[in-house]
Amino acid sequence: MSTVTWSGLMDHPIVQAPMAGGASRPALAAAVSGAGGLGFLAAGYKTAAQVREEITETRRLTPRPFGVNVFVPSPGPVDAEAVAAYRKRLEPEAARLGVALGEPAGGDDNWDAKVADLLADPPPVVGFTFGCPSHEVIAAFQGRGAVVVVTVTSVAEAEAASAADALCVQGIEAGAHRGSFRNTAELGTEVREAGQNALGVRDLLRGLREVTDQPLIAAGGLGNGRHVAEVLALGARAAQLGTAFLRAPESGASPVHKDALADPRFTSTAVTRAFSGRPARGLVNRFLAQHGPHAPAAYPQVHHVTSPLRKAAAAQGDAHSMALWAGTSFRMASAAPAAQIVADLIMSL
């Protein structure tokens, strides 16, 4: 176990979710931590050097504890023909946006370099998603004084992460990527709007409280103080919110993404593999509806293929051709400063 006490990490039971792709930049993490919550940086899609730069900047902005979340490599069989067919399907999208599609590269998101760099000088909290690191890696971080958090989406995953100091319990309502340890074709039912095997955060909390004494951080569709109070009453030690902070001025989300969360044209969310090849929840737009049913279970191959499309769509203001990650309570997202969002959540508990 870590030498850092859980109670010393935050004044209020509010955790800002690590959102890869730019939203969870140092300004946001520092603002949430400065307001008494626990801010998080996202290491996904960055080099170890880029992550270190963000840690340095966050430390400059706040003396308060914060966390860094890392993608765990989860290699599995990839149907190269299915990826090629999906890439072919997207060629008209690339032509319309005036860009070339990316190549379907694999990779482990610079795992070894990031782990080595973080171990050399870790932040107070280190989180992991898409899997559970080895006991040796967990113990190494704990030995350096870091609190280790692993994201889980089922009781079985929680049992596999028993060495962690805390679990982030992610329900199907959560925006962006599911933290599931596996990404296989049989998860197709989950993509067709959850499926029967994916639990909501409240049900998952009830199940986990019976099998573990680890501190639990509840995540998934939490948008206001009432939601936070509900999960705390179910045994969570804190509530993790991501979409609730996306529209804040400190968020690095694109203006197109921020505006879409309040745009009446977008009325619902769904789980899709359309943009990355992994199940992820976003606002239902044209791209998601048109291509989602055809996207293979291939991550990060699909992510790399669609990356130029998503960047071009954001630059061109095309909300219907980019990933608009959002949880089920997206309409509650406020454009207030992050510190005010934390204060409003606490006042309404």
Side-chain angles (χ1 to χ4, degrees), residues 16 19 22-33 35 40-41 61 244-254 258 334-342:
Q16 166 249 310
M19 296 173 283
S24 295
R25 60 185 179 181
L28 180 60
V32 173
S33 289
F40 252 99
L41 300 173
L61 293 172
F245 290 103
L246 272 178
R247 296 181 63 207
E250 298 92 345
S251 162
S254 72
K258 291 183 178 184
S334 166
Q340 185 61 53
I341 294 172
V342 173

Side-chain angles (χ1 to χ4, degrees), residues 9-74:
L9 292 174
M10 63 189 87
D11 297 330
H12 306 303
I14 303 296
V15 178
Q16 166 249 310
M19 296 173 283
S24 295
R25 60 185 179 181
L28 180 60
V32 173
S33 289
L38 181 66
F40 252 99
L41 300 173
Y45 314 131
K46 298 182 178 77
T47 65
Q50 289 171 327
V51 176
R52 179 54 56 186
E53 289 177 4
E54 292 202 346
I55 291 172
T56 300
E57 175 64 7
T58 306
R59 285 172 170 165
R60 186 186 69 81
L61 293 172
T62 181
R64 301 280 301 182
F66 63 92
V68 174
N69 190 65
V70 185
F71 289 166
V72 177
S74 52

